[in-house]
Amino acid sequence: KEVLEMNGPLGGTRILACEQAIAGPYGSMLLGDLGAAVLRIEAPEGEMSRNFAGPQNNGLNYYYLCFNRNKKSLVLDLGTELGKEAFYDLVKVSDVVWDNYRPGVMKRLGIDYNTLKNINPKIITCSITGYGPSGPYVDYPSYDIIAQGLSGLMSINGEPDGPPLKVGIAIGDLGPSMFGALAVAAALVQKEKTGKGQEIYIPQLDSLISLLAYQMSYYFCSGGVPKRLGSGHLSVIPYGAYETKKGYITLGVCWPRVARTVGADWMIDDPRFATQDARWKHREEFEAVFREQLMKAEAKDWVELFRVDDIPGGMVKAIDEVAEDSQVKHNKATISLKHPLGGEIKLAGNPMKMPGTIDEEEYSAPPLLDQHTDEILSELLGWPKEKIERKEAQEKKHAEELSAHIHKQI
């Protein structure tokens, strides 16, 4: 059916998203940005990120807003007869069931791959979990910071003489979410060829190990364990963030040209610094001299010189500066969407620039809880009003039973 479809490369694809927090919502949002119709399945009380701590816009939390554009909100209590029936009916007309619940939850709810493939043999399921569907860690809980620690990522992040640090962004959630979106896109292509669906698992742990590509290769090749280097590189110097007279700059691979730019030509022929191996052997001496040169001017002045000399360098900017950056605005890397309760919300945009993607004007803001339930059930599934009302009555009764059970336990 064409109800609730969008334009874009994935237009005509329907995804049922059973998700929470970041690891699920971010990936399904990327698929929605590409045109998939993402139906966000939530329990009557709503998903946890709707009530997260922090700032809000018209009652919607920042944590929820940033991961849930281009989706429809559908409330289903899978503990009720009609809630389960609605989900199964949706599976019949959908392509993907996407989740980031702990292993075993989907099976306990009766919506795991082995159950759903009997309803729709072409269904694709994608589950993002901490450690995968089996193994010694399978029952352990996981969060972004847990994955960052177990994967080894935190062991290489931070200053050499400081404690291990987590990456500033939630890469333990964002990484597997992106891998999940990529896997789903590949599975959709494969389904076109074979007519078959499949089951996909994306562990957080494996995702971060994949992103540690050259650190792992360094260890396997040398036996040496990568250590914390601040913003430095395992084998390149100079490289990283450097303080200036005012502000910080970053430098990529730039030797020896940068020596001339900073007025230290003599360093190029100095035997202590002439080769990469020599610079590593005399790393502390090199850094002391190089940093002294950079302290002679401000960051903005160095960056102007770098651009003249085609040196890969840039400013270290704060988030408010990034939001006003000319290139960021030119790329439309941030977007403004009409808020469902009035006004506008600003969000980080979609970095995938390709023909046929959805125009920003077609984007929809993150939905209110239950905003599209009646629309989906009536227009997509053809449920009559009386059946929808019975579903709501079952949900209300089930909620009262759960509340009474909880109070009895207390």
Side-chain angles (χ1 to χ4, degrees), residues 80-82 85 383-396:
T80 65
E81 178 187 351
L82 287 177
E85 180 183 336
W383 279 26
K385 182 178 180 181
E386 178 273 333
K387 190 172 184 178
I388 295 174
E389 290 174 346
R390 280 197 292 121
K391 167 196 160 292
E392 294 170 350
Q394 285 186 4
E395 290 172 346
K396 182 178 179 180

Side-chain angles (χ1 to χ4, degrees), residues 22 27 35 52 82 85 92 108 112 119 149 155 157 190 194-195 221 226 255 283 286 289 339 343 347 361 378:
I22 300 175
F52 203 72
L82 287 177
E85 180 183 336
K92 295 174 184 177
R108 187 167 68 247
D112 57 300
I119 298 171
S155 75
N157 195 45
Q190 189 172 49
T194 66
C221 287
W255 193 264
R283 182 184 181 95
F286 178 91
V289 174
H339 195 289
L347 301 170
E361 291 74 21
S378 62

Side-chain angles (χ1 to χ4, degrees), residues 49-119:
S49 68
R50 288 184 179 274
N51 300 307
F52 203 72
Q56 297 184 344
N57 186 323
N58 277 357
L60 295 181
N61 186 274
Y62 83 101
Y63 210 72
Y64 169 76
L65 287 173
C66 62
F67 300 119
N68 289 290
R69 65 171 175 261
N70 292 333
K71 301 180 185 182
K72 305 284 187 179
S73 174
L74 169 65
V75 165
L76 294 179
D77 184 344
L78 297 178
T80 65
E81 178 187 351
L82 287 177
K84 187 70 66 64
E85 180 183 336
F87 191 90
Y88 289 160
D89 284 352
L90 286 168
V91 169
K92 295 174 184 177
V93 295
S94 297
D95 302 283
V96 179
V97 173
W98 166 279
D99 83 275
N100 68 312
Y101 295 159
R102 289 177 68 168
V105 171
M106 297 294 277
K107 185 174 182 179
R108 187 167 68 247
L109 292 172
I111 56 174
D112 57 300
Y113 176 71
N114 288 330
T115 299
L116 300 183
K117 71 178 181 179
N118 294 321
I119 298 171

Side-chain angles (χ1 to χ4, degrees), residues 121-181:
K122 295 184 178 182
I123 199 70
I124 296 165
T125 64
C126 182
S127 295
I128 299 171
T129 62
Y131 315 103
S134 60
Y137 293 176
V138 66
D139 293 324
Y140 296 170
S142 182
Y143 281 92
D144 161 60
I145 195 168
I146 309 300
Q148 288 199 35
L150 284 176
S151 67
L153 176 57
M154 286 180 64
S155 75
I156 63 167
N157 195 45
E159 295 299 327
D161 56 352
L165 299 175
K166 79 175 187 70
V167 177
I169 62 173
I171 193 64
D173 289 327
L174 299 171
S177 205
M178 289 187 285
F179 283 123

Side-chain angles (χ1 to χ4, degrees), residues 344-392:
E344 290 190 339
I345 55 173
K346 290 188 175 182
L347 301 170
N350 182 350
M352 295 176 278
K353 316 296 185 185
M354 54 190 289
T357 51
I358 307 170
D359 292 332
E360 181 182 322
E361 291 74 21
E362 298 180 78
Y363 277 19
S364 60
L368 304 175
L369 179 64
D370 203 22
Q371 184 177 342
H372 305 99
T373 302
D374 288 356
E375 175 188 0
I376 292 168
L377 296 180
S378 62
E379 296 185 29
L380 183 60
L381 299 184
W383 279 26
K385 182 178 180 181
E386 178 273 333
K387 190 172 184 178
I388 295 174
E389 290 174 346
R390 280 197 292 121
K391 167 196 160 292
E392 294 170 350

